[in-house]
Amino acid sequence: DIQMTQSPSSLSASVGDRVTITCRASQGIANYLAWYQQTPGTVPKLLIYATSTLQSGVPSRFSGSGSGTDFTLTISSLQPEDVATYYCQRFNSVPFTFGPGTKVDIK
Amino acid sequence: EVQLVESGGGLVQPGRSLRLSCAASGFTFGDYPMSWFRQAPGKGLEWVAVIRSKVYEGATEYAASVKGRFTISRDDSESIAYLQMNSLKTEDTAVYYCTRDFPQFVSLAEVWGRGTLVTVSS
């Protein structure tokens, strides 16, 4: 099975900072990569799919890039409401695995 | 408003069965693939199963951890998806989420229910 890893596992940044999270697949997955946000105590929310397509309603400070095995999620200017755990997920084939998550909080 | 409401969770002993339901509203249920995901307490997300739409003959797929024990099904006339869970293990303890997936990409979950907690313990 293709394994998904994320780095860092957690980070702390100031409001307004640029934040980058990395996701790596153990084999190439083309652009079949999605990012979800789960704020504390809530349900996961789809942010980005197909590597870089923003889901409707998601603020433009979120962006995604990459292809093949290496992907990034960038928050251009961190806001207090962005405190959450972020998960990457591949959706090219079964099993549709997630990365372990990156916890983001405010310094 | 698009809505998914899970039910059927609870406390169950190892080896027993449980059936989860997911009632959908606000969209044409039969046009969409539906998935179940789970999240163990304090842990990450895990995809469990998917059932495709009628156009794809309702084909199903499962995570290796539940294959042979869990069965996903759907009733398009009632707009309900089900997850039948047999031979439950303590490691199946989790919040189970029902999702509506993109029509063209199964497991790409664009709408999530609030989840239902399943606790497997003696």
Side-chain angles (χ1 to χ4, degrees):
Chain A
D1 289 351
I2 298 174
Q3 305 302 315
M4 306 299 292
T5 57
Q6 286 181 236
S7 61
S9 56
S10 65
L11 67 88
S12 187
S14 299
V15 171
D17 281 354
R18 183 181 184 89
V19 168
T20 299
I21 299 168
T22 297
C23 175
R24 177 164 289 173
S26 60
Q27 298 175 38
I29 59 171
N31 72 334
Y32 293 96
L33 192 283
W35 291 96
Y36 295 84
Q37 175 195 60
Q38 188 173 29
T39 54
T42 69
V43 171
K45 171 187 171 184
L46 178 64
L47 288 180
I48 288 171
Y49 62 96
T51 298
S52 59
T53 302
L54 226 58
Q55 175 69 339
S56 176
V58 173
S60 59
R61 64 180 179 273
F62 291 93
S63 64
S65 63
S67 69
T69 59
D70 295 305
F71 303 88
T72 58
L73 171 69
T74 300
I75 308 172
S76 61
S77 177
L78 187 67
Q79 299 302 304
E81 59 267 32
D82 301 334
V83 169
T85 300
Y86 294 83
Y87 298 93
C88 63
Q89 180 213 8
R90 68 178 192 90
F91 58 96
N92 59 316
S93 63
V94 175
F96 304 109
T97 42
F98 287 85
T102 295
K103 190 173 181 180
V104 174
D105 62 30
I106 301 291
K107 195 181 293 182
Chain B
E1 180 194 2
V2 174
Q3 198 170 11
L4 300 172
V5 179
E6 302 94 336
S7 60
L11 174 63
V12 62
Q13 293 180 326
R16 303 298 290 264
S17 299
L18 207 58
R19 188 177 81 159
L20 306 182
S21 300
C22 170
S25 60
F27 64 98
T28 305
F29 181 77
D31 289 349
Y32 291 84
M34 301 294 293
S35 285
W36 288 92
F37 293 77
R38 67 184 180 183
Q39 187 169 34
K43 302 297 184 182
L45 298 169
E46 180 185 13
W47 168 78
V48 174
V50 64
I51 185 165
R52 289 176 171 78
S53 64
K54 187 166 53 180
V55 168
Y56 297 96
E57 301 181 345
T60 59
E61 294 184 274
Y62 298 91
S65 57
V66 306
K67 197 169 187 178
R69 300 188 299 123
F70 289 13
T71 302
I72 188 171
S73 61
R74 62 191 298 157
D75 182 340
D76 289 353
S77 67
E78 297 289 335
S79 298
I80 301 176
Y82 298 100
L83 186 67
Q84 177 67 43
M85 305 186 295
N86 298 333
S87 303
L88 281 160
K89 306 176 181 181
T90 55
E91 53 264 40
D92 295 320
T93 294
V95 174
Y96 284 74
Y97 297 103
C98 167
T99 71
R100 185 188 86 176
D101 299 349
F102 276 54
Q104 66 273 42
F105 295 122
V106 296
S107 89
L108 188 57
E110 60 176 341
V111 180
W112 293 66
R114 297 175 70 90
T116 186
L117 176 62
V118 172
T119 303
V120 184
S121 174
S122 53

